[in-house]
Amino acid sequence: MLIGELKRKYGEKGLLYQVHLDLTYRCNLKCVHCYINERRTNELSTGRILRLVDEMYELKTLHFTLSGGELFLRPDLFEIIEYARSRKFAVRIKTSGTLIEEGHCAKLRELGIMQAEISIYSMDEAVHDAVTKVPGSFRKAMSAIEALGNHGVRVRVNYTVTKPNAGNFRDVIDYFKERGIEVSTGTIVFPFLDGGLKPVMLNIPDSQRGEVNRYKTGSRENPPVPAIDPVGPICGAGRSSLYIAPDGAVYPCVAWHKPVGSIAESSLKSIWEKSFVLARIKTMTMSDILPLREKSGFDTFCPGLLNA
């Protein structure tokens, strides 16, 4: 069964398919497009995160994404991954790759994570480092990709296309395609956690977004826009997936900054089953989104961006 179909069935049954947990907002980089502008210092304890894994298991959750900030700043990272894998979760990590060492790669392979996702912003070192605002970050990220691959860890490159690096998308796609590495091209930048829209100003125009998509798919034309069913459900945000901040605050997704509870105060099960906000989101249809899209002027159906 395709992952998309599995997510849909989870949503229809009211089940939680995946959880994205930012372990920390601390980071050694300062990326220009980052949505994290609130460097909250409160972080969930190791014990609470392990209990979260147990709660996810009871809810029949399948996928667990760990990110940050830079998750390799958490000394308990491998303890968390190991426990999640013991519960048979498909675990993926998102990282800049700048703190990955050789021993980390061997351990990740041993634990059998689904994949490691590393951000690359250009094949031009100067452009990449200008985006991260840290000299040398490109070389460290590329070294991490090579080391992980050498240890048999599946790698995916995340390439966020913004105005500062939009001219480099062909080189990034071509370079990794030739090496058999998947590239995910993100063409939408989300607002700050506090709702500020400064990062959104870095979004490329719709015409350029189409150019990126055409090049990646090898098509001369944009893929056809699927027909919108006004009574059809929105995306999986709050319906089959949740985002959890380092301090335990729970949101429908990383882009939708509408808190629905906190696992620092209650169980994930209680939030998932009793949150009034989530109850409303689970009943939302595209008819609720279309007016917001028209009003905002954004060429997106993302409820998080449209509700910013």
Side-chain angles (χ1 to χ4, degrees), residues 38-96:
E38 299 177 0
R39 299 294 175 180
R40 306 175 196 172
T41 57
N42 292 340
E43 296 178 5
L44 295 169
S45 67
T46 306
R48 182 62 189 95
I49 294 173
L50 299 187
R51 292 201 308 276
L52 168 65
V53 172
D54 289 336
E55 292 167 8
M56 290 162 51
Y57 182 82
E58 292 174 5
L59 288 169
K60 297 182 172 58
T61 304
L62 297 180
H63 281 245
F64 192 26
T65 297
L66 296 171
S67 184
E70 177 48 62
L71 76 172
F72 278 89
L73 289 171
R74 286 274 307 219
D76 56 358
L77 172 61
F78 286 101
E79 181 181 356
I80 293 168
I81 295 176
E82 184 171 7
Y83 190 71
R85 289 295 297 132
S86 75
R87 286 296 210 173
K88 307 303 181 185
F89 284 100
V91 176
R92 64 173 178 164
I93 63 171
K94 294 186 175 186
T95 172
S96 67

Side-chain angles (χ1 to χ4, degrees), residues 26 40-41 46 55 59 75 77 88 93 128 147 151 156 163 208-209 270 272 280 290 293 295 298:
R26 291 175 289 135
R40 306 175 196 172
T41 57
T46 306
E55 292 167 8
L59 288 169
L77 172 61
K88 307 303 181 185
I93 63 171
H128 176 98
H151 282 274
R156 185 176 86 172
K163 289 177 181 177
Q208 198 165 24
R209 188 175 294 123
S270 176
W272 181 248
R280 168 64 182 121
L290 293 174
R293 183 175 188 265
K295 181 180 178 180
F298 290 130

Side-chain angles (χ1 to χ4, degrees), residues 156-192:
R156 185 176 86 172
V157 167
N158 288 338
Y159 172 52
T160 302
V161 190
T162 61
K163 289 177 181 177
N165 69 342
N168 305 105
F169 70 85
R170 294 178 181 83
D171 292 340
V172 174
I173 293 172
D174 290 346
Y175 181 88
F176 291 106
K177 183 178 181 180
E178 290 171 1
R179 288 156 178 80
I181 297 175
E182 179 188 359
V183 177
S184 173
T185 51
T187 56
I188 297 179
V189 178
F190 298 114
F192 281 138

Side-chain angles (χ1 to χ4, degrees), residues 6 11 13 19 28 32 46 50-51 54 80 86 96 120 142 148 153 168 248 256 262 286:
L6 188 58
K13 295 180 179 179
V19 170
N28 58 320
V32 296
T46 306
L50 299 187
R51 292 201 308 276
D54 289 336
I80 293 168
S86 75
S96 67
I120 294 291
M142 292 297 291
L148 287 164
V153 177
N168 305 105
W256 199 342
S262 172
M286 292 305 296

Side-chain angles (χ1 to χ4, degrees), residues 278-293:
L278 284 180
R280 168 64 182 121
I281 289 173
K282 290 172 184 176
T283 65
M284 288 180 68
T285 66
M286 292 305 296
S287 63
D288 298 301
I289 296 300
L290 293 174
L292 295 174
R293 183 175 188 265

